Structure formats: C-alpha cells, structure tokens
Amino acid sequence: MQFDPLKRRRFVTPFGAAAAAWRISSTIWLAVVVGGLYILSAKLSLSLLTPEGVAVFWPAAGVAAGVLIAFGPRARWGVIIGTMVATIVANLLGDRNLWSSIVFALCNAGEAVLTAWLIERYFGSPFSLDRLSHVLGLLGAAIVATAVSESAGP
C-alpha cells in the first residue's frame, strides 16, 4: 500500500505484495550471507587469540559495517539479524551464557549500524575511499563505534 500525498489517501499497487515478498526474501538472504561471513571472520580472529584470551583484531565488525556502508539503509535489517544470530551462536558455542550472548550481539550489531550511520551522516552516499578525508573518516567512525560498543558490553 502506498500513500498519495496530494489526495491524502492510500492506494494499492498491483506489485505491492510481490515487492514486499522480494524485500523480505532479500533481507533473509542478506542475513544468512552476513551471518556466515561474520562467523568465518570471527573464527579467524579467535584462532589468533593472545595467551590472555583477547582478540587482537575483530574483522567481523568490519564485514558488518562494510556491508551497511556499501548497500545503505536498505540492508540494515539483514545485517542486524545476521550479526546478532552469528554472535549469539558463536558465544553459545563458546563459554558464554544466553544473556551475555544477547548483550554482545546487540553491541556488535549496534557497532556496525553506528559506523555506517556516522559515515552516511558526515560523508554521504555513495562512500568511497578515494580521498584521505574519507579514509580518516572511516577510521574515526570505526574507533568511535568500537568505543561505544565496548563501553556498553559486559
């Protein structure tokens, strides 16, 4: 259903149901792909833990933020769902309980959304790394989002 602002009434387009079904299926597929890439990149980080059990780098956050920056706001729900499911599964397979896994999942998804929002807000769309200011902006957005995410997590 769409809204006609001039006539102030709603009308049904013949392709409305098909378009809605397409959006839902593309969101599900994006969630599956992002979740799979997130788990693979998280496993890479977990294989390189320090003796204290600390991950030196976490490319999974870059995967989620990169997909959001590349595909824009339309990809938001697919990335959020994929990131959260992958984080919960990875944490439950490790030594975390359900509640801390959910908190970590919210923080990881929030980090990607905040990074993409900062890039969109200050640099617009489409975003490219062809200027030093954009590279430094991406670095700054990643640092800010990581700091916010880590301050909220357990």
Side-chain angles (χ1 to χ4, degrees):
M1 229 185 232
Q2 292 182 349
F3 182 73
D4 184 359
L6 298 176
K7 297 180 183 174
R8 303 220 183 264
R9 61 183 166 156
R10 295 179 184 260
F11 59 93
V12 177
T13 60
F15 303 107
W22 177 257
R23 278 194 307 271
I24 290 170
S25 65
S26 63
T27 298
I28 291 170
W29 276 111
L30 183 63
V32 168
V33 170
V34 169
L37 289 173
Y38 198 92
I39 284 185
L40 287 175
S41 57
K43 283 197 167 284
L44 171 69
S45 293
L46 293 175
S47 68
L48 302 172
L49 289 178
T50 63
E52 295 82 25
V54 176
V56 177
F57 72 106
W58 195 253
V63 167
V67 169
L68 274 177
I69 292 168
F71 292 113
R74 292 187 325 250
R76 185 176 302 132
W77 286 110
V79 171
I80 289 171
I81 293 166
T83 301
M84 289 187 68
V85 169
T87 301
I88 290 170
V89 168
N91 280 308
L92 289 177
L93 291 176
D95 61 345
R96 304 258 188 239
N97 62 28
L98 179 62
W99 294 112
S100 64
S101 297
I102 291 171
V103 171
F104 275 120
L106 288 169
C107 290
N108 288 343
E111 179 180 350
V113 170
L114 180 59
T115 302
W117 179 80
L118 288 170
I119 292 296
E120 177 71 27
R121 168 77 170 86
Y122 291 104
F123 297 99
S125 182
F127 181 75
S128 64
L129 295 174
D130 60 350
R131 287 184 257 167
L132 181 60
S133 63
H134 285 194
V135 173
L136 294 175
L138 178 62
L139 179 64
I143 290 171
V144 167
T146 302
V148 169
S149 171
E150 295 307 314
S151 66

